[in-house]
Amino acid sequence: LEPHGRTLSEVPTYLGTRGFTGTLGLRLTEGRTFTEDEYAAVEGGSNKTPTVTIITEALAAKLWPGAPAVGRTLYMGDKHIPLRVVGVAAHLLSPDFNSIDDSGVNFLLPSGRVSDSLYVVRVEPGYVDQVLKAIPSTLARVDTHRILLRVAPYAETVDAFFKADRAAIVALLAVLSSLVALTCLGVGALSSLWVQQRVHHIGITRALGATAS
């Protein structure tokens, strides 16, 4: 991503409009967030590309280990679009990753308008249900041709994402519990058999006239 530096492929990107860094709860350890001018610079057309970016500490460690990242330039895509790093975020979980080591490797870009995307709304506790009901009508007033597929709290989205994993864990625990129970039953049966054989052996020995020593 940097001239004569390390190249990383398939790095997840967050593309958002004004205020999205605050909505995501981004905590910067270096530099700053995007300015109004930087958002305005990419408004008014799809051919306008951003010139600045915020990267995570995990990505900075991969590109420039042990060195400050703010002020450096990385290049995005096949066209090598230059992006100047203006901030470094402590951590931001990637929407898609292959390993836990890459879970925080991503960067953010300012955008004037994002189509075919997700809306994220940060709500004060106690107002979630009220805001959920108001979102469809509010978005319809902005764009009557908008297709809204689903409105749900983030907790529900996370729950649905991990539903299959939880089911697999429960099934695995059930199998392991069954194996442990069968093992205990087997040990108990063998112990009972050993005791019965021992009692039978003692009975025969006593019948033959053996006494306790």
Side-chain angles (χ1 to χ4, degrees):
L1 293 177
E2 185 189 20
H4 311 297
R6 183 174 182 180
T7 300
L8 299 178
S9 60
E10 299 181 359
V11 178
T13 307
Y14 280 91
L15 190 67
T17 55
R18 285 177 173 84
F20 87 109
T21 56
T23 302
L24 294 176
L26 208 64
R27 185 173 63 87
L28 298 180
T29 57
E30 293 182 45
R32 58 171 176 81
T33 187
F34 301 124
T35 64
E36 286 294 318
D37 292 339
E38 290 163 348
Y39 281 111
V42 292
E43 291 180 339
S46 58
N47 60 336
K48 295 185 178 181
T49 57
T51 59
V52 293
T53 182
I54 295 174
I55 66 176
T56 58
E57 287 183 340
L59 179 56
K62 285 181 175 292
L63 293 176
W64 306 290
V70 173
R72 293 180 179 266
T73 301
L74 57 82
Y75 294 83
M76 178 181 65
D78 297 332
K79 295 182 179 181
H80 302 289
I81 300 172
L83 298 171
R84 180 170 54 87
V85 178
V86 296
V88 178
H91 178 71
L92 181 62
L93 187 66
S94 298
D96 186 22
F97 53 88
N98 297 320
S99 67
I100 192 64
D101 293 335
D102 295 334
S103 62
V105 177
N106 52 73
F107 62 102
L108 302 90
L109 298 175
S111 175
R113 183 177 181 181
V114 182
S115 59
D116 299 328
S117 59
L118 300 176
Y119 281 92
V120 181
V121 181
R122 181 178 288 271
V123 182
E124 292 291 336
Y127 293 92
V128 176
D129 294 337
Q130 180 180 347
V131 173
L132 285 176
K133 293 178 181 179
I135 285 177
S137 58
T138 302
L139 292 178
R141 287 196 299 269
V142 177
D143 185 356
T144 57
H145 300 289
R146 186 188 311 277
I147 298 176
L148 191 61
L149 299 178
R150 181 170 176 263
V151 179
Y154 185 67
E156 183 179 316
T157 302
V158 173
D159 182 72
F161 182 82
F162 289 106
K163 185 176 181 180
D165 294 330
R166 284 197 299 271
I169 292 174
V170 170
L172 179 61
L173 289 175
V175 172
L176 291 176
S177 299
S178 299
L179 291 176
V180 171
L182 289 174
T183 301
C184 292
L185 288 174
V187 172
L190 287 175
S191 299
S192 178
L193 177 62
W194 180 84
V195 170
Q196 290 178 3
Q197 290 179 340
R198 183 61 178 168
V199 169
H200 182 69
H201 174 72
I202 293 174
I204 294 175
T205 305
R206 288 290 183 89
L208 293 177
T211 58
S213 55

mmCIF file of all heavy atoms in Angstrom, residues 31-55:
data_model
loop_
_atom_site.group_PDB
_atom_site.id
_atom_site.type_symbol
_atom_site.label_atom_id
_atom_site.label_comp_id
_atom_site.label_asym_id
_atom_site.label_seq_id
_atom_site.Cartn_x
_atom_site.Cartn_y
_atom_site.Cartn_z
ATOM 1 N N GLY A 31 -3.780 11.698 15.756
ATOM 2 C CA GLY A 31 -4.400 12.509 14.723
ATOM 3 C C GLY A 31 -5.798 12.990 15.043
ATOM 4 O O GLY A 31 -6.140 13.251 16.187
ATOM 5 N N ARG A 32 -6.641 13.070 14.014
ATOM 6 C CA ARG A 32 -7.967 13.677 14.120
ATOM 7 C C ARG A 32 -8.966 12.908 13.263
ATOM 8 O O ARG A 32 -8.612 12.004 12.514
ATOM 9 C CB ARG A 32 -7.903 15.117 13.630
ATOM 10 C CG ARG A 32 -7.394 15.235 12.184
ATOM 11 C CD ARG A 32 -7.544 16.638 11.635
ATOM 12 N NE ARG A 32 -6.980 16.773 10.289
ATOM 13 C CZ ARG A 32 -7.597 16.403 9.182
ATOM 14 N NH1 ARG A 32 -8.808 15.842 9.225
ATOM 15 N NH2 ARG A 32 -7.018 16.570 8.000
ATOM 16 N N THR A 33 -10.235 13.319 13.388
ATOM 17 C CA THR A 33 -11.273 12.752 12.543
ATOM 18 C C THR A 33 -11.396 13.572 11.257
ATOM 19 O O THR A 33 -10.649 14.542 11.053
ATOM 20 C CB THR A 33 -12.625 12.716 13.279
ATOM 21 O OG1 THR A 33 -13.570 11.991 12.472
ATOM 22 C CG2 THR A 33 -13.133 14.116 13.547
ATOM 23 N N PHE A 34 -12.327 13.232 10.390
ATOM 24 C CA PHE A 34 -12.488 13.942 9.123
ATOM 25 C C PHE A 34 -13.124 15.314 9.353
ATOM 26 O O PHE A 34 -13.970 15.482 10.227
ATOM 27 C CB PHE A 34 -13.364 13.131 8.166
ATOM 28 C CG PHE A 34 -12.830 11.762 7.861
ATOM 29 C CD1 PHE A 34 -13.599 10.630 8.094
ATOM 30 C CD2 PHE A 34 -11.560 11.597 7.346
ATOM 31 C CE1 PHE A 34 -13.121 9.360 7.823
ATOM 32 C CE2 PHE A 34 -11.054 10.333 7.068
ATOM 33 C CZ PHE A 34 -11.843 9.221 7.311
ATOM 34 N N THR A 35 -12.727 16.275 8.554
ATOM 35 C CA THR A 35 -13.262 17.631 8.657
ATOM 36 C C THR A 35 -14.423 17.827 7.680
ATOM 37 O O THR A 35 -14.637 17.008 6.771
ATOM 38 C CB THR A 35 -12.172 18.663 8.355
ATOM 39 O OG1 THR A 35 -11.751 18.518 6.975
ATOM 40 C CG2 THR A 35 -10.970 18.480 9.261
ATOM 41 N N GLU A 36 -15.152 18.925 7.850
ATOM 42 C CA GLU A 36 -16.262 19.240 6.946
ATOM 43 C C GLU A 36 -15.767 19.411 5.520
ATOM 44 O O GLU A 36 -16.434 19.006 4.568
ATOM 45 C CB GLU A 36 -16.966 20.514 7.424
ATOM 46 C CG GLU A 36 -17.823 20.320 8.656
ATOM 47 C CD GLU A 36 -19.011 19.414 8.370
ATOM 48 O OE1 GLU A 36 -19.646 19.551 7.302
ATOM 49 O OE2 GLU A 36 -19.300 18.539 9.220
ATOM 50 N N ASP A 37 -14.603 20.022 5.356
ATOM 51 C CA ASP A 37 -14.052 20.229 4.013
ATOM 52 C C ASP A 37 -13.744 18.900 3.331
ATOM 53 O O ASP A 37 -13.928 18.752 2.121
ATOM 54 C CB ASP A 37 -12.778 21.073 4.088
ATOM 55 C CG ASP A 37 -13.064 22.510 4.509
ATOM 56 O OD1 ASP A 37 -14.226 22.945 4.358
ATOM 57 O OD2 ASP A 37 -12.132 23.173 4.998
ATOM 58 N N GLU A 38 -13.297 17.939 4.099
ATOM 59 C CA GLU A 38 -12.963 16.631 3.514
ATOM 60 C C GLU A 38 -14.207 15.855 3.110
ATOM 61 O O GLU A 38 -14.173 15.095 2.150
ATOM 62 C CB GLU A 38 -12.111 15.832 4.509
ATOM 63 C CG GLU A 38 -10.708 16.416 4.662
ATOM 64 C CD GLU A 38 -9.988 15.919 5.906
ATOM 65 O OE1 GLU A 38 -10.641 15.298 6.775
ATOM 66 O OE2 GLU A 38 -8.769 16.170 6.014
ATOM 67 N N TYR A 39 -15.307 16.050 3.849
ATOM 68 C CA TYR A 39 -16.581 15.458 3.416
ATOM 69 C C TYR A 39 -17.098 16.180 2.178
ATOM 70 O O TYR A 39 -17.576 15.556 1.225
ATOM 71 C CB TYR A 39 -17.623 15.553 4.532
ATOM 72 C CG TYR A 39 -17.472 14.510 5.609
ATOM 73 C CD1 TYR A 39 -17.075 14.857 6.891
ATOM 74 C CD2 TYR A 39 -17.737 13.166 5.337
ATOM 75 C CE1 TYR A 39 -16.942 13.909 7.884
ATOM 76 C CE2 TYR A 39 -17.608 12.205 6.329
ATOM 77 C CZ TYR A 39 -17.208 12.583 7.602
ATOM 78 O OH TYR A 39 -17.073 11.633 8.582
ATOM 79 N N ALA A 40 -17.002 17.497 2.184
ATOM 80 C CA ALA A 40 -17.506 18.296 1.068
ATOM 81 C C ALA A 40 -16.736 18.013 -0.223
ATOM 82 O O ALA A 40 -17.302 18.098 -1.320
ATOM 83 C CB ALA A 40 -17.416 19.785 1.407
ATOM 84 N N ALA A 41 -15.474 17.646 -0.082
ATOM 85 C CA ALA A 41 -14.635 17.414 -1.261
ATOM 86 C C ALA A 41 -15.088 16.202 -2.067
ATOM 87 O O ALA A 41 -14.773 16.096 -3.259
ATOM 88 C CB ALA A 41 -13.185 17.242 -0.842
ATOM 89 N N VAL A 42 -15.839 15.281 -1.446
ATOM 90 C CA VAL A 42 -16.261 14.077 -2.174
ATOM 91 C C VAL A 42 -17.761 14.106 -2.471
ATOM 92 O O VAL A 42 -18.324 13.106 -2.926
ATOM 93 C CB VAL A 42 -15.929 12.809 -1.359
ATOM 94 C CG1 VAL A 42 -14.434 12.616 -1.284
ATOM 95 C CG2 VAL A 42 -16.528 12.878 0.046
ATOM 96 N N GLU A 43 -18.423 15.238 -2.245
ATOM 97 C CA GLU A 43 -19.845 15.361 -2.543
ATOM 98 C C GLU A 43 -20.063 15.849 -3.961
ATOM 99 O O GLU A 43 -19.201 16.481 -4.563
ATOM 100 C CB GLU A 43 -20.514 16.327 -1.565
ATOM 101 C CG GLU A 43 -20.593 15.798 -0.151
ATOM 102 C CD GLU A 43 -21.264 16.793 0.796
ATOM 103 O OE1 GLU A 43 -21.292 17.986 0.463
ATOM 104 O OE2 GLU A 43 -21.749 16.356 1.851
ATOM 105 N N GLY A 44 -21.263 15.521 -4.498
ATOM 106 C CA GLY A 44 -21.649 16.069 -5.794
ATOM 107 C C GLY A 44 -21.320 15.212 -6.990
ATOM 108 O O GLY A 44 -21.563 15.606 -8.126
ATOM 109 N N GLY A 45 -20.795 14.011 -6.780
ATOM 110 C CA GLY A 45 -20.510 13.148 -7.923
ATOM 111 C C GLY A 45 -19.822 11.874 -7.506
ATOM 112 O O GLY A 45 -19.067 11.859 -6.532
ATOM 113 N N SER A 46 -20.109 10.799 -8.256
ATOM 114 C CA SER A 46 -19.529 9.496 -7.919
ATOM 115 C C SER A 46 -18.082 9.366 -8.346
ATOM 116 O O SER A 46 -17.388 8.435 -7.927
ATOM 117 C CB SER A 46 -20.348 8.375 -8.588
ATOM 118 O OG SER A 46 -20.368 8.561 -10.004
ATOM 119 N N ASN A 47 -17.623 10.302 -9.212
ATOM 120 C CA ASN A 47 -16.251 10.222 -9.701
ATOM 121 C C ASN A 47 -15.251 10.884 -8.760
ATOM 122 O O ASN A 47 -14.052 10.851 -9.003
ATOM 123 C CB ASN A 47 -16.145 10.860 -11.081
ATOM 124 C CG ASN A 47 -16.538 12.330 -11.072
ATOM 125 O OD1 ASN A 47 -17.282 12.756 -10.190
ATOM 126 N ND2 ASN A 47 -16.055 13.075 -12.046
ATOM 127 N N LYS A 48 -15.747 11.494 -7.675
ATOM 128 C CA LYS A 48 -14.853 12.150 -6.732
ATOM 129 C C LYS A 48 -14.371 11.138 -5.698
ATOM 130 O O LYS A 48 -15.159 10.423 -5.098
ATOM 131 C CB LYS A 48 -15.561 13.311 -6.048
ATOM 132 C CG LYS A 48 -15.933 14.441 -7.006
ATOM 133 C CD LYS A 48 -16.525 15.613 -6.270
ATOM 134 C CE LYS A 48 -16.839 16.752 -7.236
ATOM 135 N NZ LYS A 48 -17.400 17.934 -6.539
ATOM 136 N N THR A 49 -13.085 11.072 -5.515
ATOM 137 C CA THR A 49 -12.498 10.106 -4.586
ATOM 138 C C THR A 49 -11.894 10.821 -3.385
ATOM 139 O O THR A 49 -11.396 11.946 -3.512
ATOM 140 C CB THR A 49 -11.401 9.278 -5.273
ATOM 141 O OG1 THR A 49 -10.410 10.166 -5.793
ATOM 142 C CG2 THR A 49 -11.982 8.451 -6.409
ATOM 143 N N PRO A 50 -11.931 10.201 -2.218
ATOM 144 C CA PRO A 50 -11.346 10.825 -1.033
ATOM 145 C C PRO A 50 -9.826 10.885 -1.134
ATOM 146 O O PRO A 50 -9.203 10.110 -1.861
ATOM 147 C CB PRO A 50 -11.801 9.910 0.103
ATOM 148 C CG PRO A 50 -12.064 8.597 -0.548
ATOM 149 C CD PRO A 50 -12.561 8.903 -1.917
ATOM 150 N N THR A 51 -9.255 11.792 -0.380
ATOM 151 C CA THR A 51 -7.794 11.941 -0.370
ATOM 152 C C THR A 51 -7.208 11.668 1.008
ATOM 153 O O THR A 51 -5.992 11.680 1.175
ATOM 154 C CB THR A 51 -7.398 13.363 -0.805
ATOM 155 O OG1 THR A 51 -8.004 14.311 0.084
ATOM 156 C CG2 THR A 51 -7.845 13.632 -2.233
ATOM 157 N N VAL A 52 -8.089 11.433 2.006
ATOM 158 C CA VAL A 52 -7.622 11.194 3.373
ATOM 159 C C VAL A 52 -8.264 9.921 3.910
ATOM 160 O O VAL A 52 -9.289 9.457 3.400
ATOM 161 C CB VAL A 52 -7.969 12.383 4.301
ATOM 162 C CG1 VAL A 52 -7.183 13.610 3.904
ATOM 163 C CG2 VAL A 52 -9.472 12.654 4.294
ATOM 164 N N THR A 53 -7.674 9.384 4.953
ATOM 165 C CA THR A 53 -8.194 8.167 5.554
ATOM 166 C C THR A 53 -7.848 8.118 7.038
ATOM 167 O O THR A 53 -6.897 8.780 7.491
ATOM 168 C CB THR A 53 -7.621 6.919 4.861
ATOM 169 O OG1 THR A 53 -8.184 5.739 5.448
ATOM 170 C CG2 THR A 53 -6.109 6.849 5.012
ATOM 171 N N ILE A 54 -8.634 7.345 7.782
ATOM 172 C CA ILE A 54 -8.331 6.995 9.163
ATOM 173 C C ILE A 54 -8.107 5.490 9.194
ATOM 174 O O ILE A 54 -8.929 4.731 8.666
ATOM 175 C CB ILE A 54 -9.481 7.373 10.117
ATOM 176 C CG1 ILE A 54 -9.666 8.890 10.155
ATOM 177 C CG2 ILE A 54 -9.206 6.860 11.524
ATOM 178 C CD1 ILE A 54 -10.876 9.338 10.958
ATOM 179 N N ILE A 55 -7.014 5.054 9.775
ATOM 180 C CA ILE A 55 -6.717 3.629 9.821
ATOM 181 C C ILE A 55 -6.707 3.161 11.277
ATOM 182 O O ILE A 55 -6.620 3.961 12.196
ATOM 183 C CB ILE A 55 -5.367 3.305 9.150
ATOM 184 C CG1 ILE A 55 -4.212 3.929 9.943
ATOM 185 C CG2 ILE A 55 -5.345 3.803 7.713
ATOM 186 C CD1 ILE A 55 -2.835 3.561 9.401
#
